[in-house]
């Protein structure tokens, strides 16, 4: 036996195809009924003359594709044990329930439960001969995880005792060869082995197996395969050598449940506070939305500095707020789209912290967003931006829930071990959903990081209230674990205020207006500066309101340096005023300005006196001048140095005419010229190899032989061809295929692929390619 061919679990044998029988054994429709979509596509591409589908046939093909996609989604939701049970049904064919239980290498109760689940989901049904998988399951399983790789068992499979006796007679080398074929797709080539040989005359290991029907020849004689019953016998009557119901063990370390809950609750409170702080800030200073729909890198860095976090955690806060419906876009005064809090934000802020946290976490669990990719580069080399529409994956939501459910299965007090915990958790998630994508490892790692930042886990273990959340219940016990908000601060003489705990929402907003956050943590530190006090004055606070607020929120007496700081800031506030003006009017005669200011038709000019001889206007100069002249005034323009500016109307000029260009050739004319050039060059190549004397015409069989040689060598040839009108010509062609007396080739003269009748080809001569 020369080589082993891996046909895969989704090959024709597993699909129940009759393609190995003679073409006249059944009708074409019967032969094609069990074929997969991929195999049908290959057949129709190679033989389009076999069938011309009617319009309703296309609907049937579309329906088959929909069923295939539905089967694939159903299989994606199965565990490794359930996939192995389904694969055993494919290998066994129609078989009793007890036969399935016996050939699956797992506990009988687990196999029974898996079989019941497959029946409930419609993947297995009962027929006359026993239980069997629905049509299409074999193709949908493919060669993925949970698949044994065994071929389908023969309809009249041999007695197990006969197979055992045949296996006992073969040599160890033949046994090793058989195991190799079974483990690598169950199919191989015969090489020099004889197909008709008795066991006593077998000279090679391959002939030992063929003579005892342990390897069965397929049509054509060059391929042999191991039937499913042989593969089962080689593996001891089971589809797999190893048990497939052993759950991977997660490496754990001991943690106090109370400590885990307190750590997770603190992180949950911080997550809620960060969302509130960020959206409060964006409510007054919104970032601009990119044209691609995301958040700019600069705006993300500013948010990172505001929250005192790293960019990855800040991206998580932004994405979670947007997914929860708390962040949206509006158009600003300039017409540009900006990111601002949504209408739901105000109602969300008024709710208790535990309910606000539940809103964020539910949105995160069901979200398809990938905030962990923010800052990395896509396949094209561009940086992923937060809130970019393309930053999503349909598989991440299931990976998050599967990861947390696997952690929730651990007993209370058990947390992931350092170093080995993550790989073991990934093995467990892979067992639960083995058909998920290769990026699942990244999804699991990102889920652990994001869950810790949002307060779902603490110290590598799931919090007690998270277990209820994963069961679609309301999280209980979180409100008691969250720290109680405080309503006061401790103001110190160094112009700082320390919050001994999380502040009430309204107090935190007011304090952030009059002071800057210097450090965050269990006790947040605020610093008072002239700029921070001026910020409160800018929004309308008076000096009395600032002093009153400080006395109300401080449990310590307000220090004298802070009182002086507020008074000094108030004293200089508003000393210089800035207003908006488009033009000014100046006159030595105050009465002339007074008359103009009180003119009945001057109300729309936005005039305001700022000095006895100066009036400003909000109207642009080019509009203001003609309006003043309509009112009877005779204004003149004043230059920057105070002198009168005299100008005459602009003199109009036209651009010099452009030189007339020659008309551009049309696309059709260019294509025609290119085709003519191609034909001329093809004729030149043909002339270089044209023989001096006329060659004798070829017979159709001779032309076929010469063209087949050219196809195998992938060479260019010069052919003499007589068309339908009897005109003889020479063509330089690249033969592609011959079928049904027609040659398909690339014609150099027409620069296109066309068909030639073989019986009209008179000569075939090789031509150097190029």
């Amino acid at each position: 036996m020369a080589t082993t061919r891996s046909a895969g679990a989704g090959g024709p044998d597993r699909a129940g195809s009759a393609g190995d029988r003679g073409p006249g054994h059944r009708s074409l429709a019967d032969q094609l009924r069990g074929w997969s979509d991929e195999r049908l596509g290959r057949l129709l591409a190679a033989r389009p003359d076999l069938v011309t589908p009617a319009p309703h046939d296309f609907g049937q093909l579309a329906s088959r594709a929909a069923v295939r996609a539905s089967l694939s989604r159903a299989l994606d939701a199965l565990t490794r044990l359930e996939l192995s049970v389904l694969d055993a049904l494919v290998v066994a064919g129609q078989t009793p329930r007890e036969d399935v239980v016996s050939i699956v290498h797992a506990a009988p109760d687990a196999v029974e439960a898996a079989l019941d689940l497959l029946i409930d989901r419609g993947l297995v049904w009962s027929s006359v001969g026993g239980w069997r998988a629905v049509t299409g399951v074999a193709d949908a399983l493919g060669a993925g995880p949970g698949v044994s790789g065994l071929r389908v068992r023969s309809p009249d499979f041999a007695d197990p005792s006969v197979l055992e006796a045949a296996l006992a007679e073969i040599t160890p080398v033949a046994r090793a060869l058989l195991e190799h074929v079974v483990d690598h797709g169950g199919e191989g080539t015969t090489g020099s082995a004889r197909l008709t040989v008795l066991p006593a005359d077998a000279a090679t290991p391959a002939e030992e197996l063929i003579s005892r029907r342990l390897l069965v020849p397929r049509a054509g004689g060059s391929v042999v395969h191991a039937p499913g019953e042989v593969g089962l016998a080689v593996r001891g009557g089971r589809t797999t050598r190893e048990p497939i119901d052993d759950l991977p063990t997660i490496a754990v370390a001991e943690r106090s449940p109370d400590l885990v809950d307190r750590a997770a609750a603190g992180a949950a409170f911080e997550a809620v506070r960060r969302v509130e702080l960020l959206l409060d800030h964006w409510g007054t200073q919104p970032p601009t939305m990119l044209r691609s729909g995301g958040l700019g890198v600069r705006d993300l860095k500013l948010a990172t500095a505001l929250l005192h976090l790293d960019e990855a955690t800040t991206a998580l806060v932004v994405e979670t707020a947007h997914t929860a419906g708390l962040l949206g876009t509006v158009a600003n005064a300039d017409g540009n789209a900006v990111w601002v809090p949504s209408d739901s934000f105000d109602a969300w802020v008024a709710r208790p912290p535990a309910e606000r946290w539940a809103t964020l976490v539910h949105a995160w669990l069901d979200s398809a967003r990938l905030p962990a990719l923010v800052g990395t580069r896509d396949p094209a080399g561009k940086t992923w931006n937060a809130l970019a529409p393309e930053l999503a994956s349909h598989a991440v939501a299931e990976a998050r829930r599967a990861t947390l459910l696997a952690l929730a299965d651990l007993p209370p007090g058990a947390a992931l071990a350092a170093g080995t915990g993550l790989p073991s958790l990934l093995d467990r998630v892979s067992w639960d959903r083995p058909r998920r994508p290769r990026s699942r490892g990244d999804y699991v790692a990102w889920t652990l990081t994001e869950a810790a930042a949002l307060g779902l886990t603490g110290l590598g273990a799931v919090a007690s209230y998270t277990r209820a959340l994963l069961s679609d219940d309301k999280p209980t016990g979180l409100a008691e674990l969250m720290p109680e908000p405080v309503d006061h601060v401790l103001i110190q003489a160094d112009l700082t205020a320390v919050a001994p705990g999380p502040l009430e929402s309204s107090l935190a907003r007011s304090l952030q207006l009059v002071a800057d956050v210097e450090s965050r943590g269990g006790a947040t530190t605020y610093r008072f500066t002239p700029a921070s006090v001026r910020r409160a004055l800018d929004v309308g606070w008076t000096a009395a309101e600032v002093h009153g607020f400080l006395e109300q929120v401080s449990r310590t007496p307000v220090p004298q340096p802070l009182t002086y700081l507020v008074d000094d800031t108030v004293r200089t506030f508003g000393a210089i005023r800035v207003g908006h003006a488009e033009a000014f009017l100046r006159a030595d005669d105050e009465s002339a300005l007074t008359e103009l200011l009180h003119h009945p038709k001057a109300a729309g000019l936005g005039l305001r006196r700022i000095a006895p001889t100066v009036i400003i206007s909000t109207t642009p100069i080019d509009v203001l001048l003609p309006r003043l002249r309509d009112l009877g005034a005779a204004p003149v323009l004043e230059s920057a140095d105070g002198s009168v500016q005299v100008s005459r109307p602009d003199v109009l000029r036209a651009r010099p005419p452009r030189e007339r260009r020659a008309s551009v050739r049309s696309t059709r004319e260019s294509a025609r010229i290119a085709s003519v050039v191609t034909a001329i060059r093809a004729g030149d190549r043909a002339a270089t190899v044209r023989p001096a004397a006329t060659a004798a015409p070829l017979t159709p069989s001779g032309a076929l032989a010469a063209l087949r040689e050219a196809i195998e060598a992938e060479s260019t040839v010069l052919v003499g061809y007589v068309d339908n009108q009897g005109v003889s010509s020479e063509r330089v062609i690249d033969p592609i295929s011959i079928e049904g007396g027609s040659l398909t080739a690339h014609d150099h003269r027409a620069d296109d692929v066309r068909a030639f009748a073989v019986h009209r080809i008179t000569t075939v001569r090789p031509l150097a390619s190029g």
Side-chain angles (χ1 to χ4, degrees):
M1 181 172 296
T3 58
T4 300
R5 300 198 316 173
S6 176
D13 284 357
R14 293 176 62 86
S17 170
D20 294 334
R21 304 181 183 181
H25 190 81
R26 294 191 300 172
S27 67
L28 179 63
D30 291 337
Q31 294 184 53
L32 301 182
R33 181 167 291 116
W35 286 32
S36 65
D37 291 346
E38 182 180 358
R39 193 176 181 189
L40 280 172
R42 290 198 303 266
L43 173 66
L44 294 178
R47 293 291 306 277
D49 57 289
L50 285 179
V51 62
T52 301
H56 65 274
D57 293 333
F58 293 109
Q60 293 176 359
L61 291 176
S63 176
R64 175 181 291 185
V67 170
R68 187 179 181 88
S70 177
L71 279 175
S72 180
R73 289 193 297 270
L75 297 181
D76 288 345
L78 300 181
T79 65
R80 186 176 295 274
L81 171 62
E82 293 157 359
L83 287 172
S84 298
V85 173
L86 193 59
D87 171 75
L89 278 168
V90 174
V91 173
Q94 299 182 9
T95 188
R97 189 184 186 100
E98 55 272 13
D99 187 21
V100 180
V101 175
S102 65
I103 65 176
V104 177
H105 200 166
D109 294 341
V111 178
E112 293 276 2
L115 189 57
D116 291 337
L117 183 140
L118 296 175
I119 295 172
D120 292 340
R121 297 190 180 182
L123 296 172
V124 175
W125 61 287
S126 177
S127 62
V128 177
W131 293 95
R132 59 169 296 176
V134 300
T135 303
V137 165
D139 288 336
L141 281 173
V147 177
S148 63
L150 298 181
R151 315 292 291 184
V152 177
R153 192 163 58 180
S154 303
D156 300 324
F157 52 89
D159 186 0
S161 60
V162 175
L163 287 177
E164 291 294 336
L167 290 174
E169 294 175 358
I170 61 177
T171 62
V173 177
R175 176 65 181 244
L177 176 61
L178 180 60
E179 292 180 356
H180 177 78
V181 173
V182 170
D183 293 340
H184 291 79
E187 192 174 273
T189 56
T190 58
S192 59
R194 293 172 295 174
L195 300 181
T196 56
V197 61
L198 295 175
D201 299 330
T204 64
E207 292 180 357
E208 289 185 50
L209 301 176
I210 294 173
S211 63
R212 292 172 174 81
R213 304 292 293 174
L214 298 176
L215 291 180
V216 180
R218 293 174 61 91
S222 62
V223 178
V224 292
H225 71 277
E229 62 271 19
V230 175
L232 289 173
V234 168
R235 295 180 180 178
R238 305 293 184 93
T239 55
T240 58
R241 290 188 173 90
E242 302 295 332
I244 46 92
D245 59 340
D246 292 341
L247 290 177
T249 304
I250 301 177
V252 298
E254 186 176 355
R255 295 285 189 275
S256 170
D258 293 338
L259 186 60
V260 169
D261 286 348
R262 288 198 298 270
F269 187 87
E270 281 296 308
V272 173
R273 186 183 62 85
R274 288 164 180 166
V275 172
E276 181 182 352
L277 175 62
L278 178 66
L279 297 189
D280 268 336
H281 178 71
W282 281 359
T284 56
Q285 302 179 37
T288 304
M289 184 178 70
L290 298 176
R291 292 183 179 180
S292 59
L295 179 69
V297 176
R298 178 177 176 274
D299 293 320
L300 181 64
K301 291 183 179 295
L302 292 176
T304 299
L306 173 70
L307 300 178
H308 295 270
L309 297 172
D310 57 273
E311 290 191 12
T313 309
T314 304
L316 173 64
V317 172
V318 173
E319 291 280 357
T320 305
H322 181 259
T323 305
L326 305 178
L327 181 63
T329 58
V330 296
N332 61 7
D334 298 330
N336 299 321
V338 293
W339 295 102
V340 296
S342 66
D343 296 336
S344 304
F345 174 68
D346 295 323
W348 178 79
V349 170
R351 293 159 60 187
E355 295 183 14
R356 283 186 275 169
W357 176 82
T359 301
L360 296 177
V361 171
H362 277 299
W364 174 77
L365 274 175
D366 299 331
S367 170
R369 305 292 299 170
L370 295 171
L373 287 180
V374 174
T376 62
R377 296 190 178 275
D378 62 8
K382 296 178 59 178
T383 302
W384 285 112
N385 294 96
L387 301 178
E390 302 83 5
L391 197 64
S393 172
H394 68 280
V396 66
E398 184 183 13
R400 286 173 182 159
R401 191 170 290 274
T403 302
L404 294 177
L405 287 174
L407 279 178
D409 286 341
L410 298 176
L416 287 179
T420 57
L422 177 58
S424 62
L425 177 63
L426 179 58
D427 292 339
R428 176 62 179 273
V429 175
S430 300
W431 191 94
D432 289 333
R433 293 294 182 268
R435 287 171 56 91
R436 281 311 179 190
R438 290 176 296 177
S439 55
R440 175 176 45 205
D442 294 332
Y443 292 167
V444 171
W446 296 340
T447 298
L448 293 178
T449 303
E450 294 171 5
L454 293 175
L456 288 159
T457 62
L459 304 178
V462 171
S464 59
Y465 54 84
T466 304
R467 302 177 189 273
L469 183 73
L470 294 175
S471 303
D472 296 329
D473 297 332
K474 292 184 178 180
T476 57
L478 177 59
E480 293 77 10
L481 292 170
M482 280 189 168
E484 289 291 335
V486 298
D487 59 353
H488 63 278
V489 295
L490 306 175
I491 301 180
Q492 305 178 96
D494 59 350
L495 301 180
T496 60
V498 178
L503 295 176
E504 294 179 348
S505 178
S506 58
L507 175 57
R509 292 184 178 184
S510 299
L511 192 58
Q512 289 166 11
L513 183 63
V514 76
D516 296 326
V517 177
E518 190 171 70
S519 65
R520 300 187 184 276
T524 306
T525 302
Y526 298 85
R527 178 167 294 278
F528 298 93
T529 64
S532 66
V533 176
R534 192 179 303 114
R535 186 169 59 237
L537 299 176
D538 286 336
V539 299
W541 286 31
T542 64
E545 289 174 339
V546 174
H547 286 300
F549 171 75
L550 296 177
E551 293 175 357
Q552 179 184 359
V553 302
S554 179
R555 287 291 178 88
T556 59
V558 178
Q560 193 177 45
L562 181 56
T563 303
Y564 287 164
L565 173 65
V566 175
D567 291 340
D568 290 342
T569 305
V570 171
R571 187 178 304 109
T572 59
F573 181 77
I576 298 177
R577 298 191 176 188
V578 178
H580 177 75
E582 289 282 350
F584 69 88
L585 292 76
R586 186 172 62 85
D588 296 334
D589 187 0
E590 298 181 15
S591 60
L593 293 182
T594 302
E595 179 183 357
L596 185 61
L597 186 63
H598 294 86
H599 197 285
K601 296 183 179 181
L605 298 179
L607 301 177
R608 184 165 68 92
R609 188 192 293 269
I610 60 175
T613 59
V614 180
I615 291 178
I616 62 172
S617 173
T618 57
T619 305
I621 292 178
D622 56 347
V623 178
L624 181 62
L625 282 175
R627 293 288 301 277
L628 292 176
R629 292 188 179 105
D630 293 340
L631 297 180
V636 294
L637 285 176
E638 185 176 272
S639 61
D641 58 359
S643 61
V644 176
Q645 180 179 348
V646 180
S647 63
R648 64 176 180 177
D650 293 337
V651 180
L652 301 179
R653 296 289 187 272
R655 292 183 178 181
R658 296 182 178 180
E659 296 181 1
R660 189 178 184 85
R661 297 182 179 178
S663 60
V664 182
R665 287 190 314 222
S666 65
T667 304
R668 182 178 300 176
E669 182 68 10
S670 299
R672 188 184 68 83
I673 293 174
S675 64
V676 172
V677 171
T678 302
I680 292 173
R681 289 176 176 171
D684 292 342
R685 293 188 62 196
T688 58
V689 296
R690 184 178 292 114
T694 304
L698 290 174
T699 62
S701 59
L704 281 173
L707 292 174
R708 286 197 177 101
E709 290 180 2
I711 293 173
E712 293 177 358
E714 298 181 356
S715 60
T716 304
V717 296
L718 173 68
V719 299
Y721 187 75
V722 181
D723 59 16
N724 294 333
Q725 287 74 31
V727 179
S728 178
S729 62
E730 292 180 332
R731 307 289 183 92
V732 179
I733 63 173
D734 295 328
I736 298 175
S737 63
I738 297 178
E739 190 170 3
S742 177
L743 168 67
T744 302
H746 177 264
D747 188 356
H748 286 227
R749 187 175 71 177
D751 195 20
D752 196 3
V753 176
R754 57 164 298 181
F756 298 87
V758 176
H759 69 277
R760 294 182 179 273
I761 297 176
T762 58
T763 59
V764 179
R765 291 186 176 276
L767 184 68
S769 61

